[in-house]
Amino acid sequence: MQVWRGTEEVPADLGATVATLGIFDGVHRGHQVVLGAAVSEAEAAGWTSVAVTFDPHPATVHRPDEHFELIASLTDRLERLAATGLDAVLVLRYTLDLAHHSPEQFARRYLVDALRTRLVVVGEDVRFGWQNAGDQHTMVRLGHELGFGVRIIEDIACPDNGRRWSSTWVRELLAAGDVAGVANVLGRSHRVRGVVVHGARRGRELGYPTANLLADDLGVVPADGVYAGWLIRPEHAPDDGTSKRLPAAISVGTNPTFHGVERTVEAYVLGRTDLDLYGEEVVVELVARLRPMVAFDGVPALLEQMADDVRRSAEILGVPAPRRPSAAAARRAVAPEAR
């Protein structure tokens, strides 16, 4: 899939296209239906399928004082868009100047002039142009005026409860820690991506060294708790026999047993104490929630629970459970305040 970061990167010899547009935060099942329809229409006509998306998210431009988190980073969004079979994505830098385009100005400049669009495929909730004045009816009218067809995809609801697939639903589920429910809406497990930083090294002292990510930099992080999932090393070349995708027990929270205050995501790769991940960008994929985050009455009780968390994570992920750290390591782990 080609990625064009601005209209200046669109090839001059680009032929006719089928275009769709949106933020596509999370690329959930509803998005996938619209994107899949655009791909199918393009393949049938022999044209190029293109999604127009925006970075940064408009909310961060219009309400800069509010803290807004994305479900997926732009990198992950592009990966998920590529998985739908799109030929290309045009990433437009979202600015106040872009926001002031009228619906007609937007359609003419980006859909007609830049992308030679012959067909637009959008969901029935599409909004575009200044103050979101453009909707599906506007798009149909502009199609008649500017020479492109329009296909409107009606909202498709979850067959289990009839609720419309949406990014709002994903955010609600993440706030509740229901990552299994999130996977149902997204069609895959939720991920966060970040650079591994130095922590307090308590995990290593306990015999469970973790890759630490600061939660404030990761987008939407699920509710505090312990999860089973995977640690993925996107840039790792597994020429040493190791895998890029590693089973992990994942802790989200502030480490209340040790009176922590900084919220982190910590991933312990099952059975591995030899990994040096500092400074590396990794992806943490959350599969199932094991339990809420609680404060334990001392390190021994915490170690017992961690051993059970690791065992259950291995069971959920379908991998062998690693051996527990040695008793000597556990004795060394007892913090002074717990002795």
Side-chain angles (χ1 to χ4, degrees):
M1 184 186 77
Q2 299 181 67
V3 178
W4 305 320
R5 297 178 185 269
T7 55
E8 66 279 2
E9 295 187 8
V10 176
D13 60 351
L14 178 67
T17 69
V18 176
T20 185
L21 64 146
I23 302 298
F24 303 116
D25 190 16
V27 194
H28 56 65
R29 290 186 188 272
H31 295 144
Q32 292 166 35
V33 172
V34 175
L35 294 161
V39 170
S40 295
E41 293 280 6
E43 289 177 346
W47 298 337
T48 299
S49 57
V50 183
V52 180
T53 192
F54 307 91
D55 183 64
H57 194 287
T60 66
V61 175
H62 293 290
R63 300 185 297 277
D65 294 334
E66 296 181 14
H67 183 60
F68 182 84
E69 297 173 324
L70 288 166
I71 295 170
S73 67
L74 179 61
T75 298
D76 283 316
R77 199 189 332 165
L78 291 173
E79 286 184 3
R80 293 166 183 176
L81 289 170
T84 68
L86 283 167
D87 295 312
V89 173
L90 172 60
V91 181
L92 295 178
R93 178 168 177 76
Y94 194 87
T95 64
L96 289 177
D97 286 341
L98 174 60
H100 279 83
H101 280 57
S102 70
E104 181 178 355
Q105 289 173 324
F106 180 89
R108 186 182 296 277
R109 178 175 181 179
Y110 296 108
L111 299 179
V112 177
D113 294 343
L115 295 178
R116 293 81 153 167
T117 299
R118 300 289 294 276
L119 176 67
V120 173
V121 179
V122 288
E124 63 180 274
D125 63 341
V126 65
R127 292 291 185 275
F128 65 105
W130 173 236
Q131 295 185 330
N132 283 333
D135 60 11
Q136 60 171 311
H137 305 294
T138 311
M139 188 68 81
V140 171
R141 175 178 60 80
L142 290 173
H144 288 306
E145 295 175 3
L146 301 176
F148 56 81
V150 178
R151 179 181 171 188
I152 304 297
I153 306 297
E154 294 184 0
D155 284 343
I156 298 178
C158 172
D160 296 332
N161 59 16
R163 181 170 180 176
R164 171 180 172 270
W165 305 113
S166 69
S167 299
T168 297
W169 191 6
V170 173
R171 293 173 186 276
E172 290 174 3
L173 292 168
L174 287 171
D178 185 2
V179 294
V182 170
N184 182 47
V185 181
L186 294 180
R188 69 199 159 271
S189 296
H190 179 61
R191 293 179 166 189
V192 295
R193 179 188 296 258
V195 175
V196 178
V197 299
H198 289 276
R201 294 182 176 269
R202 288 200 184 92
R204 184 168 297 280
E205 293 172 355
L206 295 168
Y208 298 97
T210 58
N212 300 330
L213 309 177
L214 295 180
D216 286 346
D217 299 329
L218 303 179
V220 183
V221 174
D224 290 1
V226 177
Y227 299 81
W230 302 88
L231 184 142
I232 302 165
R233 306 176 68 184
E235 305 302 322
H236 177 58
D239 54 2
D240 57 359
T242 61
S243 174
K244 296 180 68 165
R245 184 178 174 86
L246 304 166
I250 302 152
S251 171
V252 177
T254 60
N255 291 312
T257 300
F258 298 100
H259 311 293
V261 295
E262 190 169 46
R263 193 165 185 249
T264 60
V265 175
E266 302 182 24
Y268 163 63
V269 176
L270 305 188
R272 298 292 296 270
T273 60
D274 60 327
L275 295 173
D276 182 2
L277 302 175
Y278 293 122
E280 182 176 332
E281 184 181 68
V282 300
V283 172
V284 175
E285 188 173 279
L286 299 119
V287 174
R289 192 176 197 225
L290 304 180
R291 60 176 176 86
M293 183 64 66
V294 295
F296 290 89
D297 185 19
V299 172
L302 172 62
L303 285 169
E304 283 299 318
Q305 183 60 62
M306 290 174 71
D308 186 61
D309 293 339
V310 168
R311 178 192 61 77
R312 291 179 60 201
S313 294
E315 182 178 299
I316 289 168
L317 300 173
V319 300
R323 292 184 353 185
R324 292 182 60 167
S326 67
R331 286 194 298 271
R332 289 196 301 271
V334 177
E337 64 268 25
R339 286 177 180 160

